[in-house]
Amino acid sequence: MAENFTTREIDVRTGSQETVYDLTRECTSFLRDVAQGRDGLLNVFAPHATMGVAILETGAGSDDDLLSALHDLLPADDRWRHKHGSPGHGRDHVLPALVPPHATLPVIGGELALGTWQSVCLVDTNVDNPNRQVRLSFLG
């Protein structure tokens, strides 16, 4: 199995504002290094209790729409029992139940097989932690 499975942890700076961070370029670069033209699966995993991975269109407003919808569903107010951190930080701990911290994607001929407008994105509403890690794993 070891020769067919490769994994790498990368550092990502999401910043001090809520963000949808496009990770597609990093995924493509990882596959260029390890897939060697093979078919397989790319797993993207965020080992954080307050971040998710989403597949969506970016740059045309969908990323802002997602953050707006999350504000509606998970307001940053004092209703949350989880109280440490910035006001409303408890909602950040609920986020991964709605936007899971992982995605598994097809790789065809060594390339990420996304749809025309799809991007691999980190969804980070935790303004208290601007430095993140993401684990990319290729099985193929």
Side-chain angles (χ1 to χ4, degrees), residues 51-112:
M51 191 165 68
V53 176
I55 310 301
L56 75 154
E57 179 181 11
T58 59
S62 297
D63 35 359
D64 290 332
D65 288 342
L66 174 58
L67 291 175
S68 179
L70 289 172
H71 275 271
D72 291 345
L73 290 170
L74 304 171
D77 58 23
D78 64 356
R79 75 183 69 199
W80 308 101
R81 290 184 183 101
H82 189 105
K83 297 285 186 192
H84 80 273
S86 297
H89 175 65
R91 76 181 186 117
D92 299 329
H93 287 273
V94 177
L95 173 77
L98 301 175
V99 182
H102 60 86
T104 301
L105 306 161
V107 176
I108 308 297
E111 295 186 13
L112 197 53

Side-chain angles (χ1 to χ4, degrees), residues 14 17-19 50-51 67 95 122-126 129 132:
T14 56
Q17 296 181 4
E18 296 180 5
T19 190
T50 59
M51 191 165 68
L67 291 175
L95 173 77
L122 300 176
V123 180
D124 191 0
T125 59
N126 182 356
N129 188 359
R132 303 303 206 139

